[in-house]
Amino acid sequence: MALYNDGVGMAPSDLDHEEWEMIQDIKVLLPGFEKHRGNLIPILQSIQEKHSYLASTAMEMVATHLSITPSEVFGVATFYNQFRFHPPGKHQIKVCLGTACHVAGGDIILENFERKLGIKDGETTPDREYSVERVACVGCCALAPVAVVDENVQGHMQPSKVEGLFVQFQIEREREEREKAEREASE
Amino acid sequence: MSKLELRERFASIQRESERRNEEKNKESIPTIFIVMSTCGLASGATETKQAFEEALSEKSIKARIVPVGCLGHCYAEPLVIIDHPTAGFPPICYYQINADRARILVRSYLEGGDPVLKYVLGAMEENDLIPAVMDFPRFSLEQRLVMEHCGHIDPNDIYQYVAKGGYSGLVKALEAEPEEVIDLVEKSGLRGRGGAGFPTGRKWRIARATEIDDKFVICNGDEGDPGAYMDRTILESNPHQLLEGLAICAYAVGANRSIAYVRAEYPLAVKALQKAIKSAEELSLLGPSILGTSFNFEVSVFQGSGAFVCGEETALIQSIEGKRGMPQHRPPFPVEKGLWGRPTVVNNVKTLSSVPSIILRGPEWFRTIGTEHSPGTAIFSVVGNVKHPGLVEIAMGTSLRTLIFDVCGGIPKKKEFKAVQIGGPSGGCLPSSFLDTPIDFDSLTQAGAMMGSGGMVVMDEDSCMVDVSRYFLDFTQKESCGKCTFCRIGTNHLLNILDRITKGEGREKDLELLETLSKDIKDGSLCGLGKTAPNPVLTSLKYFREEYEAHINEKRCPALKCRTLIAYYIDLEKCARGCEVCVGCCPVDAIFTTKGRKKAIDQELCVKCGECRSVCPPEYDAVFKVSPPELAPIIERPPEEKKESKKSAV
Ligand SMILES: Cc1cc2nc3c(=O)[nH]c(=O)nc-3n(C[C@H](O)[C@H](O)[C@H](O)COP(=O)(O)O)c2cc1C
Ligand code: SF4
Ligand code: SF4
Ligand code: FES
Ligand code: FES
């Protein structure tokens, strides 16, 4: 079965560092949950809450803990929209396609993000800077169409506002790089 | 234990609540209520609160800031109520208070005594100085029963709920026999607010009658309709009322355990509910031997993982059991055999939240509101093309016209009303000839729509009914759990047909095909998802057939919405020489300069986002939208102007 069943005996360098952290965390987390099938979804939720996604090793560990097969865990996790199986980007862009936002042209906004980043909804850019996903009503239909960018709600979206957001990201990144260069230079 | 003791224990909680109230009123300093539920936060309430705090401390003004839940006036967020007892004004409700305005209010009103009329929505009490909100149709035509205290109390403070009479219904229920409680609910005629309208009292009676002792009650707060948010708001704004209803239900049916199922996308609601459970337990209003009686009742929160089908009660139970959320055959119904095989009552958030006042004020009072067969109120989230979108609670029997035109202010921008979609993915679209339909379970079903989730989308002349059907089918097709072939494949097939119609590739026989397929899906599906998924298609076909026909026969979208069937062009007569406004805004550089330094659109590149049309200054108004696209005049782009298409760039 699992290659690194519970991560035991694996040197951190063998695994992606993030995944290694996730595994260490789960080892601490699992004993807090009774070995009860009803705990499956709550366990997956608490892993994702902390790490933003579920690595397959993580799901294997959960399966072992609950004495069910990994494919059963995988089957449940993939059924629900909440669970993600790849790490999201540094900047998470959620475009609302709830009913009100659809009527107000939310699909055009999504398309603009997709075109700008060259990825489709549900994907992450290769540099892992951005991910785009569609979501159902985020609860501010009066501001439709709406996008949620890094937890900030952007109301009355327009294609030009999409451009504006990226200009901001660009400025921010350049500033960070400049500061980093300055720090390195002074060291 | 005697009834006297029970009453005495509760009276001491009430006294404590009164004491806290008096203590607050002793200090006559201003109170600033800020709406801090999801809608408020999304509109910037956090910044507003911070600005108040900073401005108050800069000016060393003493005032209390109280975060409250939602009043339902989404169009007015961030919404703030200021009670300034020494200023000579009644409490005043302010709308769209951003950080700057918050500072102005502190300076002008709290410091200077001038209530800044231009930000005022209305006074919260009748008076001679400022028009009261109660006189506005948005307030006066609403009848708040479930949402009575939403926005008026701090959801995190149990004593504020108790001060409003909270938990008295539970005490009254505990003094009675469980059967008597069921009698009251049955007499009230309360019907389930989760969509189907099943009589709540009857459901409870069946559960009560089962022989098994270990029972469950579940609060259904899954709310999967992509355009509805009533349950979330109620949970965030007044969680104790729901808990009280849940406890009454459990007492009546003889259950000791309960699960509140709330979707994980509602983190604020989950937090509010968890906090509420804890404070109720601390006061022995939940937990072991409530208020000293022999009734034990524990509530835990389960976070739903975002699958629309899990709103269906048997699927919901599957998901709590840690399985894929697939609906199960009924019978057995959950009231006979539900969670972990135990008898389980599943009720919606609004249903349970209606219970405390029914117990307290009596079924006769409840029946004075609403209609004979649908007593009580209905709550909708009204969105789309209305002036005042938001949550609205009205007596059942109110007409759609009153709701849309009087309560919500009608259609903005002088546009025409076209249709109203009620009930989300399971509901239907009704045209203007149905505006006088009374809102109740039976009338809506008869009209072809459905109470359903309580989502209501108002659409003006710019909405395309085929596109709206396609939108809902796209949703249900993705959300079908896949168990029934007709639902899984049928909805996909419906979607494909609607897709091709909106792209101008519809075929002559498509409308018939939509109808027969819809019927097959309704007949061949196990659960409500499949049974109702064709409703948006069927109703729009019935009431807006000519719109489908225009798409198919003329390759034309009458509402100018379906993007394959429209084109944008610039009228060279109207375009201003040398103006460049639209050029930079086009995300695909489709706009080029043609003769006379005027602009034209490269139809090859245009992605029809409409941005150029919205930025073209109104004095020129040179960009037009037409359907079919062939109506747009063709202007060749000079070769040196040709750009590489960004459309396919990755
Ligand atoms: C596809 C589908 C989705 C549903 N979604 C919900 C929902 O989000 N909330 C809800 O209370 N009931 C929903 N229901 C209805 C429930 O199955 C159930 O009838 C209801 O929770 C019973 O509560 P009530 O009697 O208080 O209405 C849904 C039903 C179907 C078929
Ligand atoms: S009707 Fe659709 S959602 Fe419902 S059980 Fe069948 S396949 Fe699943
Ligand atoms: S914004 Fe209007 S007026 Fe200006 S160039 Fe474009 S089409 Fe012409
Ligand atoms: S539909 Fe987008 S916020 Fe409600
Ligand atoms: S106007 Fe053509 S892409 Fe916007």
Side-chain angles (χ1 to χ4, degrees):
Chain A
M1 198 187 59
L3 181 59
Y4 16 76
N5 206 333
D6 57 356
V8 180
M10 300 298 291
S13 58
D14 287 341
L15 295 169
D16 184 55
H17 181 68
E18 251 172 73
E19 208 170 313
W20 185 79
E21 258 181 28
M22 192 186 299
I23 289 166
Q24 299 313 311
D25 229 39
I26 296 170
K27 280 197 239 170
V28 182
L29 183 118
L30 282 178
F33 284 93
E34 237 180 276
K35 293 177 187 263
H36 186 283
R37 176 69 189 250
N39 278 332
L40 174 54
I41 292 175
I43 293 175
L44 295 178
Q45 282 169 338
S46 38
I47 298 174
Q48 176 158 310
E49 189 180 312
K50 186 130 184 235
H51 299 277
S52 312
Y53 78 105
L54 302 173
S56 52
T57 332
M59 287 188 279
E60 283 160 13
M61 290 168 68
V62 175
T64 312
H65 181 74
L66 296 177
S67 313
I68 52 181
T69 63
S71 68
E72 221 169 319
V73 174
F74 199 70
V76 169
T78 50
F79 183 85
Y80 297 98
N81 300 328
Q82 185 191 7
F83 298 114
R84 252 195 240 114
F85 307 99
H86 301 285
K90 197 171 109 200
H91 297 293
Q92 288 186 42
I93 298 161
K94 297 176 186 153
V95 182
C96 178
L97 286 183
T99 316
C101 288
H102 170 78
V103 174
D107 54 333
I108 293 179
I109 304 304
L110 175 63
E111 212 180 274
N112 270 277
F113 277 114
E114 290 177 336
R115 186 169 46 234
K116 188 79 197 168
L117 293 171
I119 53 174
K120 288 280 164 216
D121 116 59
E123 294 177 354
T124 304
T125 51
D127 61 2
R128 290 190 42 188
E129 276 290 309
Y130 302 101
S131 51
V132 180
E133 62 184 313
R134 51 155 79 201
V135 292
C137 185
V138 295
C140 31
C141 308
L143 308 178
V146 170
V148 185
V149 180
D150 293 338
E151 307 297 318
N152 297 320
V153 173
Q154 308 280 342
H156 302 302
M157 282 300 292
Q158 283 182 329
S160 52
K161 276 183 92 171
V162 174
E163 293 288 323
L165 281 171
F166 284 108
V167 172
Q168 262 175 0
F169 282 138
Q170 186 66 26
I171 293 172
E172 211 175 288
R173 190 151 57 173
E174 277 165 15
R175 201 200 56 223
E176 269 170 27
E177 273 164 18
R178 207 173 42 241
E179 280 172 2
K180 199 172 145 211
E182 275 166 19
R183 260 199 320 274
E184 277 167 7
S186 68
E187 266 168 20
Chain B
M1 160 166 161
S2 71
K3 283 183 190 175
L4 213 68
E5 278 176 69
L6 167 66
R7 249 178 248 171
E8 184 38 46
R9 284 195 58 170
F10 185 60
S12 79
I13 297 175
Q14 284 176 313
R15 279 195 298 274
E16 172 62 17
S17 156
E18 260 165 47
R19 193 190 62 75
R20 289 176 182 228
N21 227 347
E22 271 164 27
E23 197 155 288
K24 266 183 215 153
N25 293 338
K26 246 193 325 215
E27 255 188 314
S28 63
I29 58 170
T31 311
I32 304 166
F33 300 92
I34 307 176
V35 171
M36 301 284 281
S37 52
T38 302
C39 44
L41 296 180
S43 316
T46 318
E47 289 82 37
T48 302
K49 180 161 172 270
Q50 203 181 347
F52 270 117
E53 283 163 353
E54 284 167 9
L56 289 172
S57 85
E58 266 166 35
K59 302 201 175 291
S60 314
I61 299 175
K62 266 187 94 177
R64 246 188 320 264
I65 293 183
V66 180
V68 291
C70 174
L71 278 166
H73 296 241
C74 305
Y75 61 94
E77 298 290 0
L79 195 131
V80 168
I81 297 173
I82 301 184
D83 182 2
H84 189 0
T86 53
F89 292 101
I92 302 173
C93 179
Y94 292 95
Y95 70 103
Q96 293 176 357
I97 300 304
N98 57 21
D100 289 339
R101 291 179 174 184
R103 287 188 202 99
I104 293 174
L105 283 175
V106 170
R107 185 160 18 109
S108 304
Y109 189 30
L110 297 185
E111 198 179 39
D114 163 17
V116 205
L117 290 176
K118 65 179 171 190
Y119 304 148
V120 170
L121 187 70
M124 300 302 286
E125 288 163 13
E126 294 291 347
N127 67 99
D128 300 332
L129 304 164
I130 297 171
V133 290
M134 298 71 171
D135 299 333
F136 305 162
R138 175 64 195 236
F139 288 77
S140 64
L141 294 174
E142 274 197 62
Q143 188 151 6
R144 296 218 160 175
L145 205 125
V146 173
M147 291 179 51
E148 189 179 356
H149 306 306
C150 290
H152 298 288
I153 56 174
D154 179 353
N156 288 321
D157 183 354
I158 188 169
Y159 287 108
Q160 294 195 17
Y161 179 59
V162 171
K164 300 274 184 192
Y167 286 104
S168 309
L170 174 63
V171 173
K172 196 170 163 202
L174 292 176
E175 287 174 358
E177 291 303 316
E179 279 79 10
E180 294 174 288
V181 175
I182 296 180
D183 284 343
L184 289 179
V185 175
E186 198 153 46
K187 271 198 209 129
S188 76
L190 176 66
R191 295 171 67 174
R193 298 315 198 232
F198 190 83
T200 306
R202 199 186 310 160
K203 191 184 278 187
W204 292 12
R205 200 174 292 288
I206 302 169
R208 171 99 214 147
T210 56
E211 306 269 297
I212 304 165
D213 276 342
D214 190 9
K215 297 173 196 167
F216 282 99
V217 295
I218 293 178
C219 160
N220 188 345
D222 193 47
E223 197 164 53
D225 174 348
Y229 51 92
M230 303 79 55
D231 293 355
R232 184 198 68 206
T233 305
I234 294 167
L235 290 168
E236 286 176 3
S237 307
N238 195 358
H240 284 289
Q241 180 175 270
L242 167 79
L243 291 176
E244 186 182 358
L246 205 54
I248 294 171
C249 169
Y251 174 72
V253 304
N256 299 114
R257 285 192 281 170
S258 164
I259 288 171
Y261 191 99
V262 183
R263 39 180 46 212
E265 288 101 319
Y266 290 176
L268 217 59
V270 170
K271 231 167 64 193
L273 200 55
Q274 279 165 339
K275 169 92 182 42
I277 293 171
K278 206 157 156 268
S279 17
E281 280 172 351
E282 279 162 12
L283 297 185
S284 184
L285 291 164
L286 287 182
S289 80
I290 291 180
L291 293 175
T293 61
S294 57
F295 176 48
N296 309 316
F297 182 51
E298 66 175 64
V299 185
S300 54
V301 177
F302 187 93
Q303 299 190 34
S305 298
F308 177 59
V309 75
C310 286
E312 197 280 335
E313 51 189 16
T314 59
L316 182 147
I317 288 170
Q318 292 284 306
S319 84
I320 299 177
E321 292 179 354
K323 303 184 201 138
R324 294 163 71 94
M326 302 257 200
Q328 304 297 302
H329 271 283
R330 301 181 307 178
F333 286 90
V335 276
E336 300 146 352
K337 198 163 178 280
L339 183 61
W340 310 115
R342 311 289 199 288
T344 304
V345 172
V346 183
N347 272 139
N348 173 260
V349 173
K350 294 172 288 284
T351 316
L352 291 164
S353 298
S354 307
V355 168
S357 56
I358 292 177
I359 302 298
L360 201 60
R361 300 183 218 182
E364 293 77 22
W365 161 82
F366 188 73
R367 278 194 170 279
T368 60
I369 305 161
T371 66
E372 193 189 339
H373 297 290
S374 302
T377 57
I379 304 182
F380 288 101
S381 48
V382 187
V383 301
N385 308 119
V386 280
K387 279 205 189 105
H388 298 151
L391 284 189
V392 179
E393 180 170 7
I394 38 134
M396 292 269 190
T398 307
S399 75
L400 283 169
R401 189 186 301 281
T402 308
L403 174 58
I404 296 168
F405 287 90
D406 300 331
V407 183
C408 294
I411 317 293
K413 298 186 202 155
K414 302 208 176 91
K415 301 251 171 156
E416 284 289 317
F417 169 89
K418 180 167 186 180
V420 55
Q421 211 283 347
I422 310 171
S426 323
C429 276
L430 300 179
S432 58
S433 54
F434 280 81
L435 277 173
D436 292 309
T437 309
I439 296 169
D440 63 64
F441 287 104
D442 312 307
S443 308
L444 288 182
T445 310
Q446 215 168 25
M450 185 174 163
M451 198 69 116
S453 52
M456 182 177 287
V457 190
V458 179
M459 289 175 279
D460 67 14
E461 50 192 286
D462 295 338
S463 307
C464 169
M465 294 302 119
V466 189
D467 173 68
V468 171
S469 302
R470 201 201 58 83
Y471 167 78
F472 282 116
L473 256 296
D474 181 51
F475 179 80
T476 32
Q477 180 268 131
K478 286 202 185 86
E479 294 293 332
S480 165
C481 79
K483 184 167 178 159
C484 317
T485 317
F486 271 106
C487 175
R488 185 181 68 236
I489 310 213
T491 52
N492 191 282
H493 208 50
L494 277 184
L495 177 63
N496 288 340
I497 299 172
L498 291 168
D499 237 356
R500 71 173 178 245
I501 296 178
T502 55
K503 294 207 171 98
E505 294 155 12
R507 302 168 196 161
E508 206 181 313
K509 289 256 183 300
D510 274 354
L511 298 190
E512 273 166 56
L513 199 55
L514 285 176
E515 277 160 341
T516 46
L517 202 56
S518 292
K519 195 175 165 303
D520 291 344
I521 297 172
K522 275 175 171 280
D523 294 343
S525 295
L526 171 68
C527 86
L529 190 152
K531 282 188 192 305
T532 58
N535 282 353
V537 185
L538 288 175
T539 51
S540 57
L541 259 178
K542 191 158 152 203
Y543 303 126
F544 299 94
R545 200 176 186 91
E546 67 293 344
E547 220 169 306
Y548 282 83
E549 286 164 353
H551 282 76
I552 296 176
N553 303 332
E554 303 163 41
K555 314 286 173 223
R556 180 173 70 88
C557 174
L560 304 179
K561 178 90 187 173
C562 297
R563 283 197 279 158
T564 321
L565 298 183
I566 59 165
Y568 286 90
Y569 74 90
I570 294 171
D571 183 341
L572 292 181
E573 295 285 308
K574 296 183 103 182
C575 178
R577 188 186 301 275
C579 168
E580 295 265 325
V581 173
C582 60
V583 178
C585 82
C586 177
V588 291
D589 296 332
I591 299 175
F592 61 92
T593 307
T594 178
K595 56 180 180 296
R597 288 166 58 215
K598 304 233 174 167
K599 302 291 177 271
I601 294 173
D602 185 339
Q603 299 295 345
E604 296 265 297
L605 293 187
C606 178
V607 292
K608 302 174 188 176
C609 66
E611 186 74 353
C612 50
R613 188 158 182 252
S614 65
V615 298
C616 183
E619 59 269 38
Y620 307 132
D621 193 17
V623 185
F624 287 83
K625 188 155 72 153
V626 286
S627 177
E630 294 76 47
L631 291 182
I634 294 171
I635 299 173
E636 274 297 320
R637 188 171 202 157
E640 72 276 13
E641 271 271 4
K642 277 239 163 56
K643 296 233 169 141
E644 230 167 81
S645 171
K646 268 201 214 170
K647 257 190 202 173
S648 54
V650 171

